[in-house]
């Protein structure tokens, strides 16, 4: 039986992991609907806790006010980049006039972005609870407490980065960093959940895998992360193309070599995951956590392939873009948890 304090931590941690996936889903909907600038300011939306539903409710002269605020924040961000020795990027931000382009009010886009921010706020609150309840492991498994606290700072940095995404008018490379940091936060939560469970769950300790399987799982995880990074870059290209007058059916043909790399690496990643599936199933009984998670991993891979085919054959429909992103994050989560299971040795 788990002590009540540990059970409480596991319950909150699992809820936080679910909330993180919901947040990634909300972010995917924002991207696919072009709602990223639905709220021109941050953390409020049109300087309100509850955003407007009609143009008549907008603050007077809000365009000039928010553009001026955006310019000021971008200057501070550029100064920070200068201090870290990245003057080239800092100057790009200072002189990119497209950053200060105002987007017309659209109630649907505003509320889509607002719901995304609410999801972020709820997730941040749950991460704080995780850190608070992780204190129960301070003596028995201090790393659970340490990483739970680190994650609070990580989500704080993520919130600040979100404000930069808004102030730079969705500057591409910042969106990629924003997405990768979301995976880091998710990974930390999965790690602390696993470590807390493995303290008492004997099924997780019955593992005698070879180093080769652990390395194979690690390679698969790295490939998934690289695919997410490249895929986010491809998505940024699609966003640029979609802002032109090019017909949707021609978008894929205009993508550069990054898309070719993404597609080729997808085949390599799929082959590694399938190979890992057969290796794990040959070493573990069907009812073990390792076998169950490799089944989940293969199922997610099949769904991801289906979403990729839909994107390719049906001119990149928005719902498939969101599904592709969410499935990628689910693949990451399942693969990482499987790697932890394979890395745990009997003691």
């Amino acid at each position: 039986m788990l002590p009540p304090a540990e059970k409480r931590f596991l319950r909150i941690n699992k809820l936080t992991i679910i909330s993180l996936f919901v947040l990634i889903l909300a972010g995917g909907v924002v991207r696919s609907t072009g709602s990223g600038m639905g709220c021109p300011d941050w953390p409020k939306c049109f300087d309100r806790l509850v955003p407007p539903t009609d143009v008549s409710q907008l603050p007077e002269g809000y365009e000039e006010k928010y553009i001026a605020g955006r310019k000021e924040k971008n200057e501070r961000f550029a100064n920070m980049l200068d201090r870290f020795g990245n003057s080239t990027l800092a100057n790009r931000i200072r002189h990119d006039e497209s950053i200060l382009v105002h987007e017309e009010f659209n109630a649907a886009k505003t509320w889509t972005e607002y719901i995304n921010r609410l999801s972020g706020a709820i997730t941040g609150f749950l991460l704080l609870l995780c850190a608070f309840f992780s204190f129960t492991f301070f003596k028995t498994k201090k790393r659970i407490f340490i990483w739970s606290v680190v994650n609070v700072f990580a989500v704080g940095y993520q919130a600040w980065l979100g404000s930069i995404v808004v102030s730079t008018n969705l500057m591409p490379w910042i969106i990629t960093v924003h997405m990768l940091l979301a995976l880091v936060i998710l990974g930390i939560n999965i790690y602390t959940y696993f470590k807390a469970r493995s303290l008492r769950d004997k099924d997780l300790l019955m593992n005698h895998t070879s180093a080769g399987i652990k390395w194979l799982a690690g390679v698969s995880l790295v490939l998934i992360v690289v695919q997410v990074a490249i895929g986010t870059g491809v998505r940024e290209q699609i966003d640029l193309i979609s802002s032109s007058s090019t017909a949707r059916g021609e978008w894929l043909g205009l993508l550069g070599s990054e898309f070719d790399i993404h597609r080729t690496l997808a085949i390599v990643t799929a082959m590694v995951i399938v190979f890992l599936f057969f290796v794990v199933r040959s070493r573990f009984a069907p009812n073990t956590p390792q076998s169950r998670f490799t089944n989940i991993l293969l199922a997610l891979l099949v769904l991801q392939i289906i979403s990729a085919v839909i994107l390719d054959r049906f001119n990149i429909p928005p719902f498939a873009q969101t599904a592709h992103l969410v499935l990628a994050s689910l693949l990451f989560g399942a693969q990482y948890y499987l790697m932890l299971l394979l890395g745990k040795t009997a003691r």
Side-chain angles (χ1 to χ4, degrees), residues 291-309:
S291 285
R292 288 199 299 270
F293 263 87
T294 199
N295 291 342
I296 293 171
L297 190 65
L298 189 66
L300 288 170
L301 175 64
V302 171
L303 291 174
Q304 184 70 312
I305 291 171
I306 292 172
S307 72
V309 171

Side-chain angles (χ1 to χ4, degrees), residues 9 12-13 16-17 20 120 123-132 134 143-159 180-193 336:
F9 173 80
I12 291 295
N13 202 323
T16 305
I17 292 170
L20 282 164
T123 302
F125 177 71
L126 289 172
L127 283 164
L128 279 171
L129 286 179
C130 278
F132 178 77
S134 69
R143 69 180 64 177
I144 295 174
F145 170 74
I146 292 171
W147 281 111
S148 295
V149 173
V150 166
N151 225 12
V152 173
F153 286 98
V155 81
Y157 181 77
Q158 179 78 320
L180 291 177
L181 184 55
L183 293 186
V184 170
I185 293 168
L186 175 63
I188 291 174
N189 252 89
I190 291 172
Y191 175 80
T192 55
Y193 177 81
Y336 182 49

Side-chain angles (χ1 to χ4, degrees), residues 1 4 32 88 93 163 178 216 242 298 338:
M1 289 290 292
S32 64
T88 303
I93 291 173
S163 73
H178 198 54
L216 183 62
S242 67
L298 189 66
L338 176 61

Side-chain angles (χ1 to χ4, degrees), residues 48-244:
R48 296 166 58 138
L49 292 176
V50 178
T53 56
D54 187 79
V55 69
S56 62
Q57 300 172 340
L58 298 177
E60 187 176 347
Y62 75 94
E63 299 99 328
E64 293 80 7
K65 175 184 175 182
Y66 297 140
I67 287 175
R70 191 183 301 170
K71 190 172 183 179
E72 183 180 341
K73 178 174 283 189
N74 289 344
E75 183 60 34
R76 290 198 300 269
F77 183 47
N79 291 337
M80 185 188 75
L81 291 172
D82 278 331
R83 287 194 292 273
F84 282 98
N86 203 334
S87 298
T88 303
L89 184 56
N91 287 327
R92 270 181 55 198
I93 291 173
R94 288 190 182 102
H95 300 106
D96 188 352
E97 295 299 326
S98 67
I99 288 177
L100 303 178
V101 173
H102 166 67
E103 186 168 317
E104 294 298 322
F105 173 74
N106 181 302
K109 291 183 177 182
T110 292
W111 276 85
T112 300
E113 168 61 12
Y114 180 68
I115 291 171
N116 177 45
R117 293 186 184 186
L118 278 181
S119 300
I122 292 170
T123 302
F125 177 71
L126 289 172
L127 283 164
L128 279 171
L129 286 179
C130 278
F132 178 77
F133 289 124
S134 69
F135 191 76
T136 189
F137 297 100
F138 189 78
K139 293 182 178 179
T140 56
K141 202 74 172 177
K142 191 173 292 186
R143 69 180 64 177
I144 295 174
F145 170 74
I146 292 171
W147 281 111
S148 295
V149 173
V150 166
N151 225 12
V152 173
F153 286 98
V155 81
Y157 181 77
Q158 179 78 320
W160 172 80
L161 199 59
S163 73
I164 297 298
V165 169
V166 173
S167 70
T168 57
N169 201 7
L170 312 180
M171 181 167 277
W173 70 271
I174 299 179
I175 296 174
T176 300
V177 175
H178 198 54
M179 180 63 208
L180 291 177
L181 184 55
L183 293 186
V184 170
I185 293 168
L186 175 63
I188 291 174
N189 252 89
I190 291 172
Y191 175 80
T192 55
Y193 177 81
F194 174 79
K195 287 298 181 183
R197 274 201 65 191
S198 63
L199 281 174
R200 311 280 180 179
D201 194 335
K202 301 303 180 183
D203 290 338
L204 298 182
L205 304 179
M206 299 301 292
N207 185 0
H208 302 276
T209 58
S210 66
I213 302 181
K214 300 170 190 176
W215 276 102
L216 183 62
V219 168
S220 178
L221 182 68
V222 169
L223 285 171
I224 291 171
V225 173
V226 171
Q227 275 292 79
V228 170
I230 297 175
T232 306
V234 171
R235 178 56 200 275
E236 289 162 0
Q237 291 181 26
I238 291 174
D239 288 345
L240 287 173
I241 295 169
S242 67
S243 63
S244 67

